[in-house]
Amino acid sequence: MSELKYQLDMLNKPVWKFVNASPFAKDNLMYIQEAGRFCSGNNYYTKRSGLDSYLIKITLSGKGVLEYCGEKYSVAPNSVMFIDCSKPQKYYTDKTAGKWEIIW
């Protein structure tokens, strides 16, 4: 069973691109579902689990927090997160930083 809760708190206009993979790619390959760039404010968070996908996020500026597999991580600039989205995860803007700019 999947779970998804989130709050978008964008400080500027986000870039968010969706990809329509072919049936062959969906059945046989790893493929990109979406990509984008966010600059998030203090109220941004995502909490989810149960998705059959992976997520790669790179922090450009600011700072985030990742809660994953029973651990809590600080996500600073030039950090990369690689998440198995079938597992429970929560990530959000670090309140002390005030923003979190990422690409995924």
Side-chain angles (χ1 to χ4, degrees):
M1 172 170 258
S2 63
E3 171 189 29
L4 174 59
K5 296 179 182 176
Y6 65 92
Q7 180 169 328
L8 298 178
D9 179 14
M10 301 295 109
L11 298 179
N12 57 19
K13 185 176 179 182
V15 175
W16 201 334
K17 302 292 182 181
F18 296 91
V19 177
N20 293 318
S22 71
F24 175 83
K26 288 180 179 181
D27 290 341
N28 299 288
L29 305 170
M30 293 186 97
Y31 59 94
I32 295 173
Q33 295 173 311
E34 59 184 69
R37 182 178 185 148
F38 283 171
C39 187
S40 306
N42 270 335
N43 296 313
Y44 169 78
Y45 79 91
T46 297
K47 180 179 180 181
R48 65 179 169 195
S49 64
L51 297 177
D52 186 24
S53 62
Y54 297 93
L55 175 64
I56 301 169
K57 284 186 179 253
I58 301 168
T59 297
L60 302 175
S61 66
K63 191 188 265 186
V65 178
L66 169 64
E67 296 179 17
Y68 181 68
C69 294
E71 300 288 332
K72 192 177 209 179
Y73 304 94
S74 178
V75 187
N78 301 314
S79 296
V80 176
M81 300 177 356
F82 184 88
I83 300 171
D84 177 347
C85 293
S86 67
K87 298 178 181 179
Q89 80 241 213
K90 183 176 181 181
Y91 46 88
Y92 49 92
T93 302
D94 184 318
K95 302 283 190 213
T96 65
K99 74 171 190 170
W100 188 24
E101 184 176 11
I102 56 99
I103 57 173
W104 81 97

